[in-house]
PDB file of all heavy atoms in Angstrom:
ATOM      1  N   MET A  11     -44.607  17.256-181.421  1.00 96.00           N
ATOM      2  CA  MET A  11     -43.487  17.629-182.280  1.00 96.00           C
ATOM      3  C   MET A  11     -43.416  16.678-183.484  1.00 96.00           C
ATOM      4  O   MET A  11     -43.621  15.476-183.349  1.00 96.00           O
ATOM      5  CB  MET A  11     -42.181  17.564-181.494  1.00 96.00           C
ATOM      6  CG  MET A  11     -42.140  18.517-180.319  1.00 96.00           C
ATOM      7  SD  MET A  11     -40.666  18.249-179.280  1.00 96.00           S
ATOM      8  CE  MET A  11     -39.369  18.606-180.458  1.00 96.00           C
ATOM      9  N   THR A  12     -43.082  17.248-184.642  1.00 94.00           N
ATOM     10  CA  THR A  12     -43.060  16.410-185.850  1.00 94.00           C
ATOM     11  C   THR A  12     -41.770  16.502-186.653  1.00 94.00           C
ATOM     12  O   THR A  12     -41.500  15.625-187.461  1.00 94.00           O
ATOM     13  CB  THR A  12     -44.219  16.793-186.802  1.00 94.00           C
ATOM     14  OG1 THR A  12     -44.028  18.146-187.230  1.00 94.00           O
ATOM     15  CG2 THR A  12     -45.573  16.646-186.128  1.00 94.00           C
ATOM     16  N   CYS A  13     -40.999  17.558-186.471  1.00 95.00           N
ATOM     17  CA  CYS A  13     -39.860  17.731-187.391  1.00 95.00           C
ATOM     18  C   CYS A  13     -38.750  18.546-186.747  1.00 95.00           C
ATOM     19  O   CYS A  13     -38.856  18.985-185.608  1.00 95.00           O
ATOM     20  CB  CYS A  13     -40.311  18.409-188.684  1.00 95.00           C
ATOM     21  SG  CYS A  13     -40.696  20.158-188.499  1.00 95.00           S
ATOM     22  N   GLY A  14     -37.702  18.733-187.503  1.00 95.00           N
ATOM     23  CA  GLY A  14     -36.554  19.471-187.011  1.00 95.00           C
ATOM     24  C   GLY A  14     -36.862  20.906-186.632  1.00 95.00           C
ATOM     25  O   GLY A  14     -36.218  21.480-185.748  1.00 95.00           O
ATOM     26  N   HIS A  15     -37.854  21.508-187.327  1.00 95.00           N
ATOM     27  CA  HIS A  15     -38.254  22.865-186.952  1.00 95.00           C
ATOM     28  C   HIS A  15     -38.808  22.874-185.529  1.00 95.00           C
ATOM     29  O   HIS A  15     -38.567  23.800-184.761  1.00 95.00           O
ATOM     30  CB  HIS A  15     -39.342  23.395-187.887  1.00 95.00           C
ATOM     31  CG  HIS A  15     -38.951  23.533-189.318  1.00 95.00           C
ATOM     32  ND1 HIS A  15     -39.518  22.793-190.309  1.00 95.00           N
ATOM     33  CD2 HIS A  15     -38.039  24.331-189.924  1.00 95.00           C
ATOM     34  CE1 HIS A  15     -38.990  23.147-191.474  1.00 95.00           C
ATOM     35  NE2 HIS A  15     -38.089  24.074-191.269  1.00 95.00           N
ATOM     36  N   CYS A  16     -39.592  21.843-185.211  1.00 96.00           N
ATOM     37  CA  CYS A  16     -40.170  21.744-183.869  1.00 96.00           C
ATOM     38  C   CYS A  16     -39.059  21.588-182.837  1.00 96.00           C
ATOM     39  O   CYS A  16     -39.104  22.193-181.758  1.00 96.00           O
ATOM     40  CB  CYS A  16     -41.115  20.546-183.788  1.00 96.00           C
ATOM     41  SG  CYS A  16     -42.474  20.564-184.987  1.00 96.00           S
ATOM     42  N   VAL A  17     -38.064  20.770-183.179  1.00 97.00           N
ATOM     43  CA  VAL A  17     -36.922  20.568-182.281  1.00 97.00           C
ATOM     44  C   VAL A  17     -36.238  21.899-182.002  1.00 97.00           C
ATOM     45  O   VAL A  17     -35.945  22.247-180.845  1.00 97.00           O
ATOM     46  CB  VAL A  17     -35.917  19.563-182.880  1.00 97.00           C
ATOM     47  CG1 VAL A  17     -34.633  19.514-182.047  1.00 97.00           C
ATOM     48  CG2 VAL A  17     -36.541  18.178-182.969  1.00 97.00           C
ATOM     49  N   SER A  18     -36.010  22.664-183.054  1.00 97.00           N
ATOM     50  CA  SER A  18     -35.342  23.955-182.889  1.00 97.00           C
ATOM     51  C   SER A  18     -36.152  24.896-182.023  1.00 97.00           C
ATOM     52  O   SER A  18     -35.595  25.629-181.185  1.00 97.00           O
ATOM     53  CB  SER A  18     -35.112  24.599-184.270  1.00 97.00           C
ATOM     54  OG  SER A  18     -34.237  23.818-185.050  1.00 97.00           O
ATOM     55  N   ALA A  19     -37.476  24.891-182.211  1.00 97.00           N
ATOM     56  CA  ALA A  19     -38.336  25.785-181.426  1.00 97.00           C
ATOM     57  C   ALA A  19     -38.263  25.434-179.944  1.00 97.00           C
ATOM     58  O   ALA A  19     -38.163  26.320-179.087  1.00 97.00           O
ATOM     59  CB  ALA A  19     -39.774  25.696-181.935  1.00 97.00           C
ATOM     60  N   VAL A  20     -38.308  24.139-179.643  1.00 98.00           N
ATOM     61  CA  VAL A  20     -38.254  23.695-178.249  1.00 98.00           C
ATOM     62  C   VAL A  20     -36.874  23.989-177.647  1.00 98.00           C
ATOM     63  O   VAL A  20     -36.770  24.489-176.520  1.00 98.00           O
ATOM     64  CB  VAL A  20     -38.574  22.195-178.141  1.00 98.00           C
ATOM     65  CG1 VAL A  20     -38.191  21.640-176.772  1.00 98.00           C
ATOM     66  CG2 VAL A  20     -40.065  21.966-178.402  1.00 98.00           C
ATOM     67  N   GLN A  21     -35.829  23.682-178.399  1.00 98.00           N
ATOM     68  CA  GLN A  21     -34.479  23.948-177.892  1.00 98.00           C
ATOM     69  C   GLN A  21     -34.291  25.432-177.603  1.00 98.00           C
ATOM     70  O   GLN A  21     -33.692  25.817-176.588  1.00 98.00           O
ATOM     71  CB  GLN A  21     -33.433  23.481-178.910  1.00 98.00           C
ATOM     72  CG  GLN A  21     -33.266  21.969-178.944  1.00 98.00           C
ATOM     73  CD  GLN A  21     -32.247  21.525-179.967  1.00 98.00           C
ATOM     74  OE1 GLN A  21     -32.187  22.081-181.062  1.00 98.00           O
ATOM     75  NE2 GLN A  21     -31.469  20.504-179.643  1.00 98.00           N
ATOM     76  N   SER A  22     -34.810  26.261-178.484  1.00 97.00           N
ATOM     77  CA  SER A  22     -34.656  27.698-178.315  1.00 97.00           C
ATOM     78  C   SER A  22     -35.334  28.192-177.038  1.00 97.00           C
ATOM     79  O   SER A  22     -34.737  28.944-176.259  1.00 97.00           O
ATOM     80  CB  SER A  22     -35.247  28.419-179.525  1.00 97.00           C
ATOM     81  OG  SER A  22     -35.211  29.811-179.354  1.00 97.00           O
ATOM     82  N   GLU A  23     -36.577  27.749-176.826  1.00 98.00           N
ATOM     83  CA  GLU A  23     -37.301  28.208-175.641  1.00 98.00           C
ATOM     84  C   GLU A  23     -36.690  27.682-174.351  1.00 98.00           C
ATOM     85  O   GLU A  23     -36.535  28.407-173.374  1.00 98.00           O
ATOM     86  CB  GLU A  23     -38.783  27.795-175.724  1.00 98.00           C
ATOM     87  CG  GLU A  23     -39.564  28.522-176.813  1.00 98.00           C
ATOM     88  CD  GLU A  23     -39.736  30.015-176.532  1.00 98.00           C
ATOM     89  OE1 GLU A  23     -39.603  30.415-175.370  1.00 98.00           O
ATOM     90  OE2 GLU A  23     -39.983  30.774-177.480  1.00 98.00           O
ATOM     91  N   LEU A  24     -36.336  26.394-174.331  1.00 98.00           N
ATOM     92  CA  LEU A  24     -35.767  25.815-173.112  1.00 98.00           C
ATOM     93  C   LEU A  24     -34.393  26.423-172.802  1.00 98.00           C
ATOM     94  O   LEU A  24     -34.035  26.594-171.635  1.00 98.00           O
ATOM     95  CB  LEU A  24     -35.660  24.293-173.238  1.00 98.00           C
ATOM     96  CG  LEU A  24     -36.983  23.524-173.159  1.00 98.00           C
ATOM     97  CD1 LEU A  24     -36.768  22.042-173.471  1.00 98.00           C
ATOM     98  CD2 LEU A  24     -37.626  23.676-171.771  1.00 98.00           C
TER      99      LEU A  24
END
Side-chain angles (χ1 to χ4, degrees):
Chain A
M11 298 172 62
T12 63
C13 72
H15 297 115
C16 302
V17 171
S18 296
V20 166
Q21 285 179 320
S22 175
E23 292 292 340
L24 287 173

